[in-house]
Amino acid sequence: MPNEFIIYPAIDMRGGKCVRLIQGDYNQETVYGDSPFDMAKSFADQGATWIHMVDLDGAKEGKRINDQFVIKAAQQLNARIQIGGGIRSEEDVVHYLKNGVSRVILGSVAVNQPDFTKDMLKKYGDKIAIGLDAKDGMVATEGWLQTSSLSAIELGKKFADYGAETFIFTDISTDGMLSGPNIEATEKLALETGKRIIASGGVSSLSDLQQLKQKASSGIAGAIVGKAIYTKRFTVKEALEV
């Protein structure tokens, strides 16, 4: 469906808890809940059709660590789950998909192993999303600890050619800052790739969501919302109503 705009409430998991980091910094962490599943359930109960989950431990260690919470949510809740963090192999991809997860996000591995990513896109199609995290337009990897020499747009076009339909674009400078998303960069990526882009990072108000939604015809297909919900700027239900 073109012009569809989906709200993805976010659950970042570390040490089995729900946390938020500021700009991906593991030293700037706030814990918002002891149970990722309970948090996911509260989002689904408020009407969320999708939930975005991130295994922060997995992203750092390069392997699945908090996957049990993700699978429980996928199997027990009336919402679709997308997961990122720590997905490095086809075994990881299959593990999630066969256990009910709707979409698997390839981030660092997409940048570092384009051939593997191309293969996954060929096999699993739209069940794979590509996570592009950019700092000043350049792609960052490994939990944002490293910046590559590729621009998000160059990489986006390459993966679009490989068959990617959905991208999750994070402007790291806005992430966790509640400063408003980088709408311009997100829209540019959507127009250049011609694919669905989910905006991530910086959403601080319902008006941010409205502004993003106005770009749905350009290809901005949704927004991931984390800190704004946890700091009670608005609820998932309010976001969905807008």
Side-chain angles (χ1 to χ4, degrees), residues 147-237:
T147 309
S148 75
S149 56
L150 288 164
S151 81
I153 286 176
E154 281 175 284
L155 211 56
K157 284 178 159 170
K158 183 162 108 173
F159 287 121
D161 289 343
Y162 290 169
E165 292 294 336
T166 306
F167 291 88
I168 292 160
F169 176 67
T170 309
D171 179 357
I172 296 171
S173 60
T174 64
D175 188 71
M177 302 300 285
L178 297 172
S179 56
N182 189 335
I183 294 174
E184 194 184 342
T186 310
E187 183 180 27
K188 190 168 183 211
L189 184 65
L191 293 170
E192 293 273 352
T193 58
K195 301 299 181 186
R196 284 196 300 267
I197 311 294
I198 299 168
S200 168
V203 170
S204 63
S205 65
L206 293 172
S207 80
D208 287 339
L209 292 175
Q210 284 166 320
Q211 286 177 352
L212 284 165
K213 189 177 179 184
Q214 283 164 4
K215 304 289 186 184
S217 58
S218 301
I220 298 184
I224 291 168
V225 186
K227 196 168 186 183
I229 292 169
Y230 292 105
T231 53
K232 307 209 173 2
R233 294 198 169 210
F234 53 81
T235 65
V236 171
K237 189 165 178 285

